[in-house]
Amino acid sequence: MLNLNYAAVSRAYHRFAAQRDTELFESLGWGDRLGAPGYRRTDALHLSLALLSCKAPLNGPLRI
């Protein structure tokens, strides 16, 4: 069973959401993709990064 602390996830989400585009994309190794189709800032990106930073397991076909 997955047990996440809402406050921790919320803090992490807001930390990633507050970063500038260039800072966020550089930290992901996507600096050269800033503005490219398919590479956008979305809530899904912020939430995925927040969950990863809280050690939540994310399963799926793509490696994060």
Side-chain angles (χ1 to χ4, degrees), residues 27-41:
S27 71
L28 294 170
W30 295 354
D32 60 331
R33 296 179 178 116
L34 186 62
Y39 290 87
R40 295 184 44 201
R41 271 191 101 100

Side-chain angles (χ1 to χ4, degrees), residues 20-62:
R20 293 182 326 223
D21 288 351
T22 54
E23 182 183 3
L24 180 63
F25 276 61
E26 288 290 335
S27 71
L28 294 170
W30 295 354
D32 60 331
R33 296 179 178 116
L34 186 62
Y39 290 87
R40 295 184 44 201
R41 271 191 101 100
T42 63
D43 289 332
L45 174 63
H46 299 152
L47 183 56
S48 295
L49 293 171
L51 289 169
L52 287 169
S53 72
C54 291
K55 308 283 191 247
L58 296 180
N59 299 322
L62 301 176

